[in-house]
Amino acid sequence: MTDRYCVFGHPVSHSKSPVIHAAFAEQTGEALEYTAIEAPRDGFAGAWRAFVESGGRGANVTVPFKEDAYRLCDTLTPRAERAGAVNTLILEADGRTRGDTTDGAGLVGDLERCGVTLAGARLLVLGAGGAVRGVLEPLLAAGPASLHIANRTAAKASALAADFRDLGEVSGGGFDAVEGPFDVVINGTSASLGGELPPLPDDLFAPGATAYDMMYGAEPTVFLRWASERGAETLDGLGMLVGQAAESFMLWRGVRPDVTAVLESLRRTL
C-alpha cells in the first residue's frame, strides 16, 4: 500500500505542499500519496487521529494548527520544543506521534542557497509571533553578530528575545525603536498578506544588505518593493516553503530531495 501523507490547515486549498511533495516523490522514486486536508478549527487532534487510522504516516501542519500539533505530540524534537510549535508530524513505529519544526531549517537553507552570509551579520527580524519563534534557533546557530526582534508590541518582542538570549546576542523592542543599519532584514509579520508595511526607518539597510519576506507571490510584496527602493537585495519566502518541505520529506522518507529543481519549477507557476 502506498504510504499516505498530508498537510492540515484551515483554509488549506491554496497550499502548494501537494505539488511540492509530488515533485519530491517523482524525483526520488519514493512511492507516496500526499493530499491537503482542511481540519475543523476546533478539531485538529481528531483529524490527525482519523488520518492515522486511515493509514496516514505523517503530516505537515500550517495555519492555524501549529500550536495544536505541538500539544498533541507524544514526543518532540529539541527544536520543536524550543519553538513551541510543530509543522511536521511523524508517526513512529510504536504508534506514537513525534513532532518537529522544519521552518527554521527551510529559511536558513534558502538564505545560504542564495549566497546570504549570516555568520557575523547583524540581523533584524520583524514580528514576534509563531512564525518568528520557529526560526530563531536556526538563525542564531548560524552565528550572527547580533539579532534584534522588532514588533508592534514591544513587550512581546522583548519577552521573545529573553527566551533565546542563551543562544546568542538577542534583543527586542518596538518598531519605533529600531536603529539600523542591518545586514539581513527578515519580515516574519503577516503584514504583506494585507499589502501593509511595518513602520520602519528609511536607513534600515547596510550596503549590500538583503531583505527577506517569509511571504511570497507572483509579484514582490510591499515590503520587498520598499526594501528594493532603499538599495537592498530582495528574496521572497518561496524558497523557504520548498526548503521546509524538503526537510519534512527527509524526516519521513530518509531521502533528501533536490530543492533547486522543484523551486525553479514552482516559481514558473506563480
Side-chain angles (χ1 to χ4, degrees):
M1 187 176 77
T2 302
D3 292 337
R4 296 184 62 211
Y5 299 88
C6 76
V7 57
F8 287 106
H10 188 106
V12 77
S13 60
H14 67 284
S15 175
K16 297 189 181 300
S17 292
V19 174
I20 294 169
H21 283 280
F24 287 162
E26 181 178 2
Q27 180 193 106
T28 60
E30 292 288 306
L32 60 87
E33 173 188 311
Y34 189 107
T35 57
I37 297 177
E38 183 162 319
R41 282 189 175 271
D42 58 352
F44 172 73
W48 166 245
R49 287 193 295 270
F51 182 65
V52 169
E53 289 169 4
S54 70
R57 295 283 304 279
N60 287 127
V61 183
T62 188
V63 176
F65 297 126
K66 292 184 181 183
E67 292 181 1
D68 297 271
Y70 174 87
R71 288 190 290 269
L72 75 73
C73 288
D74 299 302
T75 62
L76 295 162
T77 63
R79 62 185 179 181
E81 191 163 4
R82 182 123 204 181
V86 159
N87 83 329
T88 305
L89 296 173
I90 305 139
L91 185 67
E92 299 188 300
D94 61 5
R96 296 194 301 170
T97 300
R98 184 165 180 80
D100 201 350
T101 179
T102 64
D103 287 332
L107 170 62
V108 171
D110 192 37
L111 287 166
E112 292 175 345
R113 192 165 46 250
C114 294
V116 178
T117 300
L118 296 175
R122 189 179 181 199
L123 308 188
L124 173 65
V125 181
L126 307 175
V132 168
R133 188 177 188 93
V135 303
L136 290 179
E137 184 177 15
L139 283 172
L140 289 165
S146 63
L147 188 155
H148 184 73
I149 303 165
N151 190 55
R152 194 172 302 277
T153 305
K156 190 173 182 181
S158 297
L160 183 56
D163 288 345
F164 286 84
R165 199 159 285 143
D166 60 310
L167 300 182
E169 185 67 34
V170 188
S171 57
F175 288 132
D176 57 352
V178 172
E179 294 183 3
F182 295 92
D183 302 302
V184 181
V185 180
I186 299 168
N187 182 23
T189 73
S190 59
S192 291
L193 294 176
E196 299 175 356
L197 183 73
L200 300 168
D202 286 330
D203 59 352
L204 200 61
F205 302 103
T210 298
Y212 192 103
D213 199 326
M214 291 188 190
M215 302 295 113
Y216 66 89
E219 300 296 328
T221 66
V222 63
F223 169 72
L224 293 183
R225 292 197 302 271
W226 178 86
S228 179
E229 290 168 358
R230 285 151 184 81
E233 298 294 324
T234 60
L235 296 168
D236 70 13
L238 189 64
M240 176 181 174
L241 174 70
V242 179
Q244 63 81 25
E247 293 290 326
S248 296
F249 193 93
M250 174 68 183
L251 290 170
W252 295 326
R253 310 302 296 181
V255 180
R256 185 175 298 281
D258 175 25
V259 169
T260 302
V262 176
L263 176 58
E264 290 175 353
S265 175
L266 193 61
R267 178 76 67 186
R268 290 193 292 269
T269 69
L270 292 181

